[in-house]
Amino acid sequence: MENYIKNEILKNPENRITYAHFIEMALYHPIYGYYMQNRAKIGKGEDFYTNSNMGSVFGDVLGNWFCRLFRDNDLHPAIYECGAGTGKMANDLLNRLKMVDLDLYNSLTYFIIEKSPYHQKIQSQLTAGHPQVKILATLPESGWEGILWSNEYFDAFPVHVIEKQNQQLFEIMVMLEGDQLKETRQLATDKEIYRYLRDYNIVLGEGQRIEIPLAMEKEARRIYGRCNRGLVLSIDYGYRNEEWGRPAAYRGSLRGYKRHIMLDDVLQQPGSIDITCHVQWDTLFSLGRTAGMDNHPLMNQQEFLLASGILELLEEQASVSNYNPFSPAHKYNRSIAACLNPAGISNYFQVALQTKGLSTGWPLFEQSIFNSF
Ligand SMILES: C[S@@+](CC[C@H](N)C(=O)[O-])C[C@H]1O[C@@H](n2cnc3c(N)ncnc32)[C@H](O)[C@@H]1O
């Protein structure tokens, strides 16, 4: 992979490439790209955890809640999951739907939108018990109706990186210094970058760095633009525009992950590390609004889980004979507690809900005491 990238740099007349080009190759080159390789990445002993590693709790919460949404809104029975990783959440969710509403389960089509052939393969193996799963590389052009959801999808798109120095905007590029991949900068000339900053009202302070997620913007436009009626649920880590100026985000949010260790320098070991950055929530809200979606208040993950009924899932522990801390019921309850732990995984995630043509299913969220709007 590294040699391939070095050749790409040398092929360029100025011997440098954008971060977006570097990340596209490092993550999605058809042979060497991190997500395209035949190896596990998500879970214990791999590179990073996601919500899919919290037992079946996530799939169960979403399964119960989706079921109510389909019924209450008389919604076309289709679910689209973008970037489904191992397929575990799809499998958990479908197991739950089958248990709580067999008629809905039987009428449902569950589309997985997945770019990586390796991930497509493991997703189809894991969901083999559910004949309604269809795996596609991209969202159908014909438009969609139903529920489209994702967990850590929008954070996985290639981004440009810019920074402001001496009142001028620079684009951060990737070059070779000897044999090493290094950053360099040049005055930003890409009109699309300036257009993006204008469209989403992003103003950088002196010394500030930020990612420009043009590929994510394109994908989000496609998702909202093709929505005829339904819900878009996006779970991810991200910032609102006003948060990018805070110290933690002032130098941007581009990171690498390998074996659960966070790497600040994403240029090392391309192809063997995950590269990710925080989602720009205001961009998604603005794009949604333009496409006629209703944006609901951004929540943190704990409040979403509480509002969508996680506590209904607590297993009864009344019988003394069942007081075995290693029983499946105790384990399940511990996963629920971990999902709600203010210092745990949910603390890092937010949940965006955007709808078109749906009227019911929201009162719980509006009453939420944690509401961050
Ligand atoms: C960070 S992983 C998240 C996996 C899963 N949702 C989870 O939470 O465990 C990102 C997933 O999105 C897929 N992906 C990235 N870009 C994509 C694109 N443009 N179209 C479809 N899938 C994509 C990757 O192959 C991977 O399966």
Side-chain angles (χ1 to χ4, degrees):
M1 167 97 274
E2 205 159 329
N3 284 340
Y4 180 85
I5 291 176
K6 286 174 181 169
N7 279 334
E8 283 292 300
I9 293 175
L10 295 173
K11 266 198 313 205
N12 187 285
E14 289 170 6
N15 288 352
R16 54 183 63 180
I17 56 174
T18 63
Y19 251 116
H21 187 180
F22 168 78
I23 298 170
E24 177 64 41
M25 290 186 282
L27 295 184
Y28 302 112
H29 180 276
I31 298 164
Y32 312 119
Y34 176 77
Y35 278 109
M36 310 306 253
Q37 291 168 30
N38 288 331
R39 66 177 190 82
K41 296 136 196 133
I42 304 170
K44 199 173 168 186
E46 312 306 340
D47 293 328
F48 57 94
Y49 287 116
T50 67
N51 282 318
S52 68
N53 302 110
M54 306 305 285
S56 64
V57 171
F58 241 87
D60 291 341
V61 173
L62 293 183
N64 281 353
W65 183 54
F66 284 179
C67 197
R68 288 201 289 271
L69 284 179
F70 278 117
R71 268 198 240 118
D72 295 350
N73 291 282
D74 194 19
L75 196 55
H76 177 68
I79 297 178
Y80 298 79
E81 182 184 352
C82 296
T86 59
K88 181 169 182 305
M89 287 206 270
N91 190 45
D92 292 340
L93 203 160
L94 284 162
N95 286 340
R96 170 61 53 164
L97 276 180
K98 189 173 185 179
M99 200 174 99
V100 295
D101 191 336
L102 191 59
D103 287 344
L104 173 64
Y105 173 83
N106 285 332
S107 64
L108 183 85
T109 312
Y110 194 104
F111 295 95
I112 290 180
I113 312 298
E114 174 57 57
K115 175 172 179 158
S116 154
Y118 165 73
H119 283 278
Q120 289 186 353
K121 188 176 86 194
I122 58 173
Q123 288 156 7
S124 82
Q125 285 163 353
L126 200 62
T127 59
H130 301 292
Q132 60 275 79
V133 172
K134 295 200 170 7
I135 304 183
L136 309 172
T138 52
L139 195 62
E141 275 180 33
S142 52
W144 64 273
E145 175 170 340
I147 295 176
L148 183 148
W149 80 281
S150 64
N151 186 66
E152 295 199 47
Y153 181 57
F154 289 121
D155 65 56
F157 281 77
V159 288
H160 293 259
V161 179
I162 60 164
E163 81 181 23
K164 191 172 194 176
Q165 293 291 350
N166 303 321
Q167 299 305 317
Q168 290 185 300
L169 269 193
F170 290 89
E171 177 157 12
I172 309 300
M173 310 289 287
V174 181
M175 61 170 290
L176 272 174
E177 198 176 273
D179 201 29
Q180 297 290 307
L181 294 168
K182 291 277 179 215
E183 286 188 352
T184 183
R185 61 179 205 209
Q186 65 184 34
L187 276 177
T189 52
D190 186 338
K191 289 196 177 66
E192 275 292 277
I193 291 178
Y194 287 96
R195 194 267 311 151
Y196 183 92
L197 294 171
R198 265 196 319 276
D199 282 0
Y200 305 107
N201 301 317
I202 297 171
V203 179
L204 297 196
E206 183 58 26
Q208 189 175 354
R209 189 182 262 224
I210 198 168
E211 296 85 30
I212 304 292
L214 297 178
M216 180 204 81
E217 182 196 32
K218 191 169 168 194
E219 175 68 357
R221 232 186 224 132
R222 188 180 312 171
I223 288 172
Y224 305 133
R226 292 182 188 172
C227 174
N228 296 326
R229 181 168 179 260
L231 161 74
V232 178
L233 159 70
S234 311
I235 307 169
D236 224 314
Y237 34 81
Y239 293 125
R240 305 296 308 265
N241 272 3
E242 65 272 16
E243 292 176 294
W244 287 99
R246 294 183 185 163
Y250 205 75
R251 296 291 295 157
S253 65
L254 199 59
R255 308 271 184 272
Y257 283 94
K258 184 170 183 171
R259 301 268 168 244
H260 300 277
I261 294 176
M262 193 177 90
L263 308 163
D264 283 333
D265 184 356
V266 302
L267 298 180
Q268 305 312 313
Q269 315 172 55
S272 19
I273 64 168
D274 184 27
I275 302 175
T276 177
C277 67
H278 278 50
V279 168
Q280 300 188 10
W281 289 120
D282 287 291
T283 298
L284 294 183
F285 291 138
S286 168
L287 288 165
R289 204 175 302 118
T290 306
M293 313 282 307
D294 294 318
N295 294 323
H296 297 263
L298 187 68
M299 288 173 277
N300 66 35
Q301 188 166 285
Q302 283 109 319
E303 67 180 319
F304 168 73
L305 291 170
L306 286 169
S308 54
I310 191 172
L311 295 180
E312 293 162 17
L313 294 170
L314 277 174
E315 298 269 350
E316 281 277 345
Q317 298 297 314
S319 120
V320 176
S321 61
N322 190 26
Y323 194 73
N324 167 11
F326 302 107
S327 69
H330 273 268
K331 232 176 131 187
Y332 191 77
N333 285 350
R334 276 200 298 278
S335 296
I336 293 177
C339 285
L340 295 176
N341 179 353
I345 187 167
S346 292
N347 193 32
Y348 299 98
F349 290 92
Q350 296 88 49
V351 180
L353 300 175
Q354 297 166 289
T355 55
K356 191 182 270 181
L358 301 194
S359 47
T360 58
W362 316 111
L364 273 175
F365 295 105
E366 276 145 29
Q367 283 162 21
S368 161
I369 50 169
F370 298 103
N371 219 323
S372 57
F373 247 10

